[in-house]
Amino acid sequence: MLMQNVKGTFDFFGNEQLLRKKTQSVLQEVFELYDFDGMDSTMLNELDLLTSKYAGGDEIVKEMYQLTDQGMRNLGLRYDLTIPFAKVIALNPSIELPYKRYEIGKVFRDGPVKRGRLREFLQCDVDIVGVEGPEAEAELMQVAVEAFKRLNVPITLRWNNRKFLGEILEKNGVTSDEKLSVMLTLDKIEKIGNEGVVKELISKGLDPQVTSALTELIQIDDSSFEYLSNKYNIEKSKGSLEVHALQQLIDKLELDKACQFDPFLSRGLSFYTGTVYEIFDASKTFTSSLGGGGRYDAIIGKLVGREDIQYPTVGISFGMESIMEMIKNRPIQLPQPVVVVLPIGETVSVVLKTAAVLRSNGIRTGLEISKRKLKKSLSSVAAKGIRFVILIGEDEANAGMIRLKDMKEKTEIVVTLEEAIKRIEYERKSVL
Amino acid sequence: MLMQNVKGTFDFFGNEQLLRKKTQSVLQEVFELYDFDGMDSTMLNELDLLTSKYAGGDEIVKEMYQLTDQGMRNLGLRYDLTIPFAKVIALNPSIELPYKRYEIGKVFRDGPVKRGRLREFLQCDVDIVGVEGPEAEAELMQVAVEAFKRLNVPITLRWNNRKFLGEILEKNGVTSDEKLSVMLTLDKIEKIGNEGVVKELISKGLDPQVTSALTELIQIDDSSFEYLSNKYNIEKSKGSLEVHALQQLIDKLELDKACQFDPFLSRGLSFYTGTVYEIFDASKTFTSSLGGGGRYDAIIGKLVGREDIQYPTVGISFGMESIMEMIKNRPIQLPQPVVVVLPIGETVSVVLKTAAVLRSNGIRTGLEISKRKLKKSLSSVAAKGIRFVILIGEDEANAGMIRLKDMKEKTEIVVTLEEAIKRIEYERKSVL
């Protein structure tokens, strides 16, 4: 069958598109209040960039759409907004640091399709480059809390620090070669449960003593930062100091209710170097992540190939498709015309001209030129809750007048268009 | 070299992105005043849809990016917003006709790159399905005229009717097999000149008599509709009647200055069935098209495979990249924070918290936490024309107060944050 959408892709229109756009506006407004600068990076990218070892890593590259152009260049569709951002910073040394950007755009992943997870989907990202932290981390948490507050979605933001987790793993005998792989497994606790994690750890062929230490670790009663740093005697380690500093800020900013430390969170991507975040629905009606991010200090410098410039960077991404899964049933009213203009007889040209004048005056105007019976047209207008109708018959047209019907007041007057515009605007303002 | 953009693709940020977004907002505002409904169709599409004989035709398919997914499905990136729109209508019989949509989104073409012509670029389309015309054609001309008026770009919209052109070609001995191919050549007059067109016509191996008749035709002195329909005695033909009806409407709507009839215009795409448009810079400083479109009555019905339902459709597309080429040097001011908050000493947490309160009150707020010297920070704020600075030292923090500097009035007061917000908002409103 020719007519079908590609698996995992959807068209949006009507109420759904309106709600999507409103959600994007809310996010954009918050991003701009927080003084982030808008960006629109390329969707097509050099394959080498997307598969570079500093980029997303094997897991994500497997799901990348690849293509070639007529010049046989190897390209890929972006799978996130992070690598393209790193590219923009690397390519534009004139950008003054610290730099804060936001971007709302589509990304593509050829992966499993489920609720809130599509193959072509919208991400909304903010990133700060040039601040070592933890102020930048805390500011992104503020952005997330403010944005979801405005969206009226209760969230829990879980956070961790990869260095700290790495230090704990070391203390449990995990070698540096095994570290990333073990982290990726621990990250799945929510998804596959403790048993699933243990099974996967065993399958990795770690030293049995290490596996049993890790099994004990994930079943620990008290997984607080204080308990763990004390238990492993790493209170003064680099990771511990970072966690401590950010926790202090979170407490002072009174973000501690929404932002909870989780020592087993690590996020799938290999490029994170410090703090990682993941945002969840606090009401737990929706279990997938609503967004996430983290610090990736190493990528830009490595892409640029200059070890002498520091590009400490931290970002957070909001997933539009997950957010929509949570709010899609909210009532929303498609914008309606303020006034509908109707011809009676051969007055279509006058109707079109009248409509253009109304529109250039900032009045959203509909046309009813479908040649239905007048009564039908009027009842359709009434059903939509549209208040004003302008009828133009040949008599009115010849006299340079229009017939203004107020469907609410049930009045009808013959006036000039200027007079009608005044009345419509007066009534609109008195409603606002 | 790893770090480069794909040929014909660009990243946008800073002033350029701001100007692009403002331009999109202007277009979107006009589209909504004209009562079009927003849409966001898929970028990935089934290859079969994009290459279907009812779609864009060979010329455009050559420039399509193709790819496969892991399930080995054959896909393509959309090369315009028209075919995806036709798909949405075909797939959603519940959409009530007439239906008016707008869409602003990226499309992809692997073609030659030049000024205003990229490989990944933004189009802004409006389409009306369910109106046979010519009111729909005229309404789209109104949209174009209003939109470019608001953008302050002087335009000439050239228009024609493919049926009418086809009738003239028939009268000149062009067979129906040759018609489309001859049209595509005539369409290049502006690009390759009369001589180029004649050369291309000869290369097509038409009957020499036909070629010489066409050569005469394109060099005709009077290319008005009246002259041509009279000369070829086709005043009552289908094409002539359509041209006449639309011309009448254009005159009555006083669009005749901006909208000029051009009997040799035909547009590259094969799917147009009646009216075609193309928009040009009236000042002729930029020679590429700023947009175009036309009537494509056949596509949707054929995609649906139902001959019993009529889907008369007409659309017009605005090319963001061409528009940007014309307006990119306009002065524009990047949005600046209304106020910048600065820590003095160890008050970063108070600064972050203060900033969050300002932001949740709708005040765009910047942070200056780069640890530069205070004097440097202040002069950078002043250079950007930002009026307010909030300084928070440890004394202020302990007292629950902030220090508000008004850079314009050169005053400095120690007040509560609530008081500062009141003052900032008062000054902002008195500026507006």
Side-chain angles (χ1 to χ4, degrees), chain B residues 151-168:
Chain B
L151 292 172
N152 204 15
V153 170
I155 59 156
T156 303
L157 185 153
R158 284 162 51 205
W159 67 278
N160 189 22
N161 186 302
R162 279 254 188 119
K163 281 181 204 142
F164 179 69
L165 176 56
E167 289 157 5
I168 291 181

Side-chain angles (χ1 to χ4, degrees), chain A residues 372-380:
Chain A
R372 292 190 284 187
K373 290 243 168 75
L374 177 61
K375 214 174 153 186
K376 249 192 161 163
S377 294
L378 287 179
S379 66
S380 142

